[in-house]
Amino acid sequence: QRLSVFLGHPVYSLSVLLFTLILATGIGSLISDIVPLDSRPRFFIWALFTGAYVAALPHWLPRVFLAFDSANVLTRAILCVITIAPAGLLLGFGFPTGMRLISAIDSRPTPWFWGINGAAGTLASTIAVASSISFGIGTTLTIGATCYIFLIPTALLFISFGAHRP
């Protein structure tokens, strides 16, 4: 939402930010095949970096916006790409990692998890908009970051990394 205001027009926001987020998450998904989160340390580092990056955004991004407020649209768009791409790259690891972990246990519910992911994504985006309106964007980002940090103890307690069942 802040990036949309910074770019100055909803059309720019949709084209630049949505394209960047989709491309970066796709690249993150591809990288997750090369560098899989198949051990507790790798998963821990990924969840920590993802949560930390999202949590840090409200603290440094407003100063960047102020510094580049008078820049031309192309410069602001490039800045938005640079800002959102790391988050998308990190977020791209989540779904393929979860699918690999679940498939190692039992591949039969895979179609259900695709559906649950779609429904959860739609619901989460609606809740994020409502949360941003009610509590502010910073609070919404903090809640999202906290969810990624909570993945750490959950994964460490319940997921057996590297243990593949037939």
Side-chain angles (χ1 to χ4, degrees), residues 72-79:
N72 63 34
V73 173
L74 180 61
T75 302
R76 289 183 295 180
I78 290 169
L79 187 64

Side-chain angles (χ1 to χ4, degrees), residues 45-60:
I45 290 168
W46 166 77
L48 189 64
F49 275 23
T50 304
Y53 189 81
V54 171
L57 282 173
H59 301 289
W60 61 268

Side-chain angles (χ1 to χ4, degrees), residues 142-157:
T142 301
I143 292 168
T146 303
C147 289
Y148 278 94
I149 299 297
F150 279 153
L151 283 175
I152 295 169
T154 303
L156 297 181
L157 287 172

